[in-house]
Amino acid sequence: MITYTTSLEGISPDKLKGFFVGWQNPPWPETHMKLLENSSHVVLAIDDEKDRVAGFVTAMCDHVLSASIPFLEVLPEYRGHGVGEELVRRILDEIGDLYMVDFVCHPNMQPFYTRLGMRPSTGMMRRNVQHQKGPGSQGERDGTQL
Ligand SMILES: CC(C)(COP(=O)(O)OP(=O)(O)OC[C@H]1O[C@@H](n2cnc3c(N)ncnc32)[C@H](O)[C@@H]1OP(=O)(O)O)[C@@H](O)C(=O)NCCC(=O)NCCS
């Protein structure tokens, strides 16, 4: 059964395996954990039986006018069952009524977000694939160091 939480209590990197599918330099689960800790809002979908995180969404918010949603991912084996939609609904609830809430997404994802009350926009972005793994983890894994 999938349950949802905004708490990181009891969450450790070993419960965060398998995310960042298709990324050239996917962050380690430890880096993923830091990313969750540093986000202003987080919603996790938990597979209670397997005791692992099945999906997550994060938000960065200034608590005045604006928020953005940088990450949304559901592990492939859990997709197509409404988990992604529920994560977005819940993070929007967490963020509350702000003037701006921005997502960047591929055009083929626009119907998904339109169903959730968002509308298409245009934007600009920068991506540095050398830093995709996160700070301090450019090389091979060396134990606990990030
Ligand atoms: C996008 C994502 C979070 C959706 O999670 P999910 O649990 O499968 O979502 P739901 O079951 O709630 O909704 C499924 C809907 O997502 C949409 N969708 C999912 N992946 C899609 C894709 N690659 N292209 C277009 N639409 C997609 C479909 O509209 C689908 O609608 P349907 O149920 O009518 O077929 C998941 O596919 C994922 O993690 N993808 C990889 C990461 C990603 O793309 N994140 C979003 C960045 S903007």
Side-chain angles (χ1 to χ4, degrees), residues 72-74 78-86 104-106 108-109 112-113 115:
L72 166 68
E73 186 172 358
V74 173
Y78 296 92
R79 290 181 193 169
H81 300 286
V83 175
E85 194 167 316
E86 189 61 25
V104 173
C105 76
H106 192 274
N108 70 5
M109 286 299 300
F112 174 82
Y113 292 114
R115 286 208 303 253

Side-chain angles (χ1 to χ4, degrees), residues 61-66 97-99:
C61 179
D62 63 19
H63 302 285
V64 181
L65 288 179
S66 78
D97 285 330
L98 287 180
Y99 169 61

